[in-house]
Amino acid sequence: MGDHLFEVDGVHVSRLEDLRLITGAGTYAADWNLPGQLHAHFVRSDRAHAKIVSIDTTAALKYPGVAGIYTGEDAVRAGYVRGVTFLNFKGKNDMEGRIPERPAMAHGRVRFVGEPVALVVADSALAAQDASELIRIDYRDLPVVIDPEAAVRPGTAQLHESVPENTPFEYEAGDKAATEAAFAKAAHVTKLKMESTRVVPNPLEPRACLIAHDPKNESYTVHVCIQGMNMMKRQLSAYTKVPEDKLNVIARDVGGGFGQRSTAYPEYCAVMIAAKATGRPVKWVSSRTEGFLSDTHGRGNIIEGELALDKDGRFLAMRLNWLADMGAYLSPAGPVSHIRNPTTCLTGVYKIPALYGYWRLAVTNTAPIAAYRGAGRPDIAYAIERLVSNAAAELGIDAAELRSRNFIQPEDFPYKTPTGTTYDNADLPGVLAKALELADWKGYTQRLSATEKTGKLRGIGISTVIENTGAGMYPKDEVELEVGKDGVVTLYTVAKSQGQGHETTFAMMAAKVLEIPAERIKVVQNFNDRALIGNHTGGSRSMVGAGTVCHIAAEKLVQHGKSLAAEALGIEPSQVSYGAGEFRGPESGMKITLAELAQKREVKIKGEGTFGTTYPNGCHIAEVEIDPETGVTDIARYMTVDDCGVVVNHAIVEGQMHGAVAQGAGQVFGEHAIYDKESGQLMTATFSDYFMPRAGMLPDIVMAEHATASRINPLGIKGMGESGCTASLGALVNAVIDAVRPLGIHHLDMPLTPAKLWTEISAKRGTARA
């Protein structure tokens, strides 16, 4: 819809929320305070797997200022032992998911380093922390299993009695017999074993909560960082059995989410226990190391893939053997995001007649894994794009040509895949053609020659992907509009921005219909005085769902306003026209503004809509240079062409793309949550040890669009918040492998650190010299 500058308090900004946020006026979870509040500190397990023999809190309870100490016994007594799961479908051979209990604090046994064991509540945060050091816990160590492949081997120590072979779920998709038949007649088969490494999402804002209990009606007020009010209520209610209408969830600003802030963590439930027991509000703010240890992690997949081709390079079949590490417990969305999203786009952007995938979940003595930006979509895209590029290299076919040869064509849409998914609309050849031109694909050999003269290695990588936006957990999305007496329109939605810019884009959607400045729309994303149905912000779905409903609600407001204006003006509704915030009658001077109408009558309307999954797609091309003497990789060029449907705000789209590509680059070149295999200790639990992407990693990203309108919603919008992650893994790894392939290196697992690359390159060069 275009680029915009807005005026807020006399300052021109590109997003309506920016002035508040960049001047430090934001309100995050740790900023909330209530009179008489206590402060909480968690005692966490310092070992990965052990039986809790005893917990002695005697000395800690005597520490000055301590108001209470709570353990797993309290969690079990309260019944806070099992969170919600979204694993509501059957697996292989009608298998039901084996969902182990997870008390809000460990009871009887600890299963990962960082698991909460006790909660100390005191007059100050420092007093609570000091008292926690007086608690004595006697453990009896048990065998530790960190590696998911080792976890599912027969005879390995079992984490949960209810989860035999450490396998909570198995699933298969596709046609196994047809796939085997296609492989049997293949002229060429390419094989790779790939790992999408475990990473820590690390939103800028650490987790925090402030919870108050009201004994008069047994309700709780929960200040917390969220990705959506309804989703948090639903999960907390399932965990604690407190009815959703007794949970008042409050959040203003949220400093990043990436899926990690969707979860109702057990710590929140433990603080609820303390707030009720003490009769005072209780506040807890996580440290960064606590976040590394106990916030949900992402990715953690080991994928064995095979791609079958005929003599002309046409794809015949693909099969995957997928092992997903779930950590010590199953998070609400972890199993679903590691299975459903990959199976939805199992064919990628290609016509692959036969597909088969087998998924196995594993529990390990590590932090639980959940959705992380892309939630399985980057993993399946990475696997497919690595296989395709590997096949191209083995067959001596240009990587872009092999892709083009196997694309789903524009006339095939809507396209039903072999696994039952229906892609709505795309022009994949058009996206590729534009990307190749943008990247000067044909001129690459000249850039390669120039790099070779410097003694460095250069590679080019391509990734063409498609992904599904989230369908949502609720049957519809609702938005309410209410006109104030000053003419300001308040827009209520249960979607929740964690940096996506809802206050801007949602306002733009309504303002366009109402023909008033977006600055006159106030977006409210958190409230407890009205009930709206709707989905949280996640899975790149908010503009598709809630954003479209903003448009629908605004149209309804205009029609409703015409009826009210007709009554006020003494004419028929059919005689009323509307434009620029004003209702007009047929005679000169017969008019009434939105503000004037609201001064006479309540002007309020609710819009709703149900919109399914859209399929944004794109092509990313990367070039890298590697110094063989150090293994250091520089991203020399990065180009994107994406189809995210009709664009509402180009600046926000570009910002989302930059951030997502940076996170993809972080995973490719360094991010990795590393556990010691013997002790289960997290070796990367601080920013000193854990690699984070930095601004200097990326060159200026050259972006272009090739939009096709979605057929799923009336505005043609597709999601795009995760597409940068989805495409960048394959593009960057393919570029690195292209650079080192002349040395005989055909595959390397992420992260592609300088040490790893230097070791592999040196080994190959040494062999060559020998």
Side-chain angles (χ1 to χ4, degrees), residues 33 91 140 156 310 411 510 709 743:
N33 293 288
R140 184 179 302 139
T156 300
D310 68 12
E411 61 270 19
L743 300 175

PDB file of all heavy atoms in Angstrom, residues 33 91 140 156 310 411 510 709 743:
ATOM      1  N   ASN A  33       4.793  -2.388  38.521  1.00  0.00           N
ATOM      2  CA  ASN A  33       4.924  -2.515  39.981  1.00  0.00           C
ATOM      3  C   ASN A  33       3.561  -2.304  40.624  1.00  0.00           C
ATOM      4  O   ASN A  33       2.717  -1.562  40.095  1.00  0.00           O
ATOM      5  CB  ASN A  33       5.925  -1.501  40.546  1.00  0.00           C
ATOM      6  CG  ASN A  33       7.351  -1.783  40.098  1.00  0.00           C
ATOM      7  OD1 ASN A  33       7.963  -2.741  40.548  1.00  0.00           O
ATOM      8  ND2 ASN A  33       7.868  -0.937  39.211  1.00  0.00           N
ATOM      9  N   GLY A  91      -0.556 -40.109  15.464  1.00  0.00           N
ATOM     10  CA  GLY A  91       0.692 -40.334  14.763  1.00  0.00           C
ATOM     11  C   GLY A  91       0.706 -41.632  13.984  1.00  0.00           C
ATOM     12  O   GLY A  91      -0.342 -42.156  13.575  1.00  0.00           O
ATOM     13  N   ARG A 140      20.407 -37.318  43.961  1.00  0.00           N
ATOM     14  CA  ARG A 140      21.068 -38.569  43.589  1.00  0.00           C
ATOM     15  C   ARG A 140      21.126 -38.597  42.066  1.00  0.00           C
ATOM     16  O   ARG A 140      20.106 -38.685  41.396  1.00  0.00           O
ATOM     17  CB  ARG A 140      20.303 -39.790  44.109  1.00  0.00           C
ATOM     18  CG  ARG A 140      21.021 -41.121  43.828  1.00  0.00           C
ATOM     19  CD  ARG A 140      20.233 -42.311  44.385  1.00  0.00           C
ATOM     20  NE  ARG A 140      20.030 -42.136  45.825  1.00  0.00           N
ATOM     21  CZ  ARG A 140      18.877 -42.425  46.441  1.00  0.00           C
ATOM     22  NH1 ARG A 140      17.832 -42.855  45.754  1.00  0.00           N
ATOM     23  NH2 ARG A 140      18.776 -42.247  47.758  1.00  0.00           N
ATOM     24  N   THR A 156      18.929 -46.947  26.374  1.00  0.00           N
ATOM     25  CA  THR A 156      19.311 -45.641  26.919  1.00  0.00           C
ATOM     26  C   THR A 156      18.443 -45.308  28.137  1.00  0.00           C
ATOM     27  O   THR A 156      17.270 -45.670  28.190  1.00  0.00           O
ATOM     28  CB  THR A 156      19.142 -44.550  25.847  1.00  0.00           C
ATOM     29  OG1 THR A 156      19.980 -44.847  24.737  1.00  0.00           O
ATOM     30  CG2 THR A 156      19.526 -43.176  26.395  1.00  0.00           C
ATOM     31  N   ASP A 310      15.161 -38.307 -12.476  1.00  0.00           N
ATOM     32  CA  ASP A 310      15.275 -39.110 -13.690  1.00  0.00           C
ATOM     33  C   ASP A 310      16.472 -38.621 -14.505  1.00  0.00           C
ATOM     34  O   ASP A 310      17.221 -37.723 -14.086  1.00  0.00           O
ATOM     35  CB  ASP A 310      13.971 -39.085 -14.495  1.00  0.00           C
ATOM     36  CG  ASP A 310      13.655 -37.712 -15.111  1.00  0.00           C
ATOM     37  OD1 ASP A 310      14.545 -36.824 -15.126  1.00  0.00           O
ATOM     38  OD2 ASP A 310      12.518 -37.525 -15.586  1.00  0.00           O
ATOM     39  N   GLU A 411       0.222 -21.673 -13.826  1.00  0.00           N
ATOM     40  CA  GLU A 411      -1.086 -22.182 -14.215  1.00  0.00           C
ATOM     41  C   GLU A 411      -1.549 -23.366 -13.362  1.00  0.00           C
ATOM     42  O   GLU A 411      -2.708 -23.783 -13.427  1.00  0.00           O
ATOM     43  CB  GLU A 411      -1.085 -22.594 -15.688  1.00  0.00           C
ATOM     44  CG  GLU A 411      -0.101 -23.688 -16.047  1.00  0.00           C
ATOM     45  CD  GLU A 411       1.268 -23.170 -16.467  1.00  0.00           C
ATOM     46  OE1 GLU A 411       1.584 -21.998 -16.137  1.00  0.00           O
ATOM     47  OE2 GLU A 411       1.998 -23.931 -17.133  1.00  0.00           O
ATOM     48  N   ALA A 510      -7.337   0.463   8.885  1.00  0.00           N
ATOM     49  CA  ALA A 510      -8.599   1.124   9.216  1.00  0.00           C
ATOM     50  C   ALA A 510      -8.652   2.540   8.648  1.00  0.00           C
ATOM     51  O   ALA A 510      -9.682   2.985   8.135  1.00  0.00           O
ATOM     52  CB  ALA A 510      -8.799   1.150  10.723  1.00  0.00           C
ATOM     53  N   ALA A 709      -1.332 -11.823  -5.542  1.00  0.00           N
ATOM     54  CA  ALA A 709      -2.309 -11.634  -4.479  1.00  0.00           C
ATOM     55  C   ALA A 709      -2.799 -12.974  -3.949  1.00  0.00           C
ATOM     56  O   ALA A 709      -3.098 -13.895  -4.715  1.00  0.00           O
ATOM     57  CB  ALA A 709      -3.488 -10.816  -4.992  1.00  0.00           C
ATOM     58  N   LEU A 743      37.362 -28.199  -3.292  1.00  0.00           N
ATOM     59  CA  LEU A 743      38.345 -28.868  -2.446  1.00  0.00           C
ATOM     60  C   LEU A 743      37.906 -30.277  -2.071  1.00  0.00           C
ATOM     61  O   LEU A 743      38.641 -31.001  -1.389  1.00  0.00           O
ATOM     62  CB  LEU A 743      38.568 -28.064  -1.151  1.00  0.00           C
ATOM     63  CG  LEU A 743      39.091 -26.635  -1.327  1.00  0.00           C
ATOM     64  CD1 LEU A 743      39.147 -25.941   0.037  1.00  0.00           C
ATOM     65  CD2 LEU A 743      40.463 -26.643  -1.976  1.00  0.00           C
TER      66      LEU A 743
END
